[in-house]
Amino acid sequence: DAGVIQSPRHEVTEMGQEVTLRCKPISGHNSLFWYRQTMMRGLELLIYFNNNVPIDDSGMPEDRFSAKMPNASFSTLKIQPSEPRDSAVYFCASDRGNEQYFGPGTRLTVT
Amino acid sequence: KQEVTQIPAALSVPEGENLVLNCSFTDSAIYNLQWFRQDPGKGLTSLLLIQSSQREQTSGRLNASLDKSSGRSTLYIAASQPGDSATYLCAVRNAGNMLTFGGGTRLMVKP
């Protein structure tokens, strides 16, 4: 199994630009999670899908952030417009309700 | 709201020592508890998963214990090695299927 796959691994963009992060969960996992990690705030849950349906998006910072899961093997996290304070590492994780597995993360830098 | 605390925040030990990392949580109604390892610039790797009905889990030199009633878990690392240097995070899963993470313990094992 290839594990959770995220792309791109690094993204550098200018303030105001749209950013799209992508995630492919482990096959057979029915839950998908998007997290953000910063030195100041640690690891924060942004949104959680179960069977492709968003269950809890209370962690999404504001309307500039949106996430979709059009099918069981793909999810996107979009930031539009991006701001310097969005700079962080964004992780995607998946599970079947038990042990959770993380992807390698996308390091986002907004200048 | 579940809160997870890890003590100490940082730990430096000489190679060969046995050590204990601590994790405490405020709501004992957990589904399971997971210990992760994170190397600098990398994603989270699952080390051990303890179900709420279990008292401990072992993998190689690692042993994790769980005392649900007191809201505590410990990760014991035997005969530490420089390769064990990393940040260790614990996370608890409540009925809502979401993980709540502690702030992590940054471990340095000196040769």
Side-chain angles (χ1 to χ4, degrees), chain A residues 43-79:
Chain A
L43 199 59
E44 305 172 278
L45 176 66
L46 300 177
I47 187 169
Y48 145 53
F49 292 87
N50 189 54
N51 293 324
N52 312 338
V53 176
I55 302 299
D56 190 319
D57 65 355
S58 59
M60 295 286 263
E62 47 199 275
D63 292 347
R64 297 184 298 106
F65 286 68
S66 63
K68 293 182 179 179
M69 191 164 186
N71 56 61
S73 59
F74 184 66
S75 176
T76 59
L77 178 68
K78 186 175 293 187
I79 308 172

Side-chain angles (χ1 to χ4, degrees), chain A residues 37 43, chain B residues 4-13 17 19-24 33-40 43-48 59 61-64 73-91 100-109:
Chain A
Q37 187 177 41
L43 199 59
Chain B
V4 181
T5 304
Q6 291 187 245
I7 295 173
L11 182 63
S12 182
V13 300
E17 268 201 14
L19 57 99
V20 175
L21 307 182
N22 296 293
C23 172
S24 61
L33 183 145
Q34 200 168 348
W35 281 93
F36 293 88
R37 168 186 174 138
Q38 186 175 29
D39 292 286
L44 279 69
T45 299
S46 179
L47 296 174
L48 289 164
S59 175
R61 294 182 294 107
L62 305 180
N63 176 277
S73 176
T74 61
L75 179 66
Y76 175 83
I77 303 177
S80 58
Q81 303 170 357
D84 295 330
S85 298
T87 297
Y88 291 81
L89 298 113
C90 76
T100 303
F101 281 84
T105 293
R106 191 169 61 255
L107 173 66
M108 172 73 72
V109 181

Side-chain angles (χ1 to χ4, degrees), chain A residues 37 48 95 97-100, chain B residues 32 34 38 46 51 93 97:
Chain A
Q37 187 177 41
Y48 145 53
D95 67 36
N98 211 5
E99 190 168 7
Q100 193 161 114
Chain B
N32 61 39
Q34 200 168 348
Q38 186 175 29
S46 179
Q51 303 294 351
R93 185 189 297 262
N97 202 34

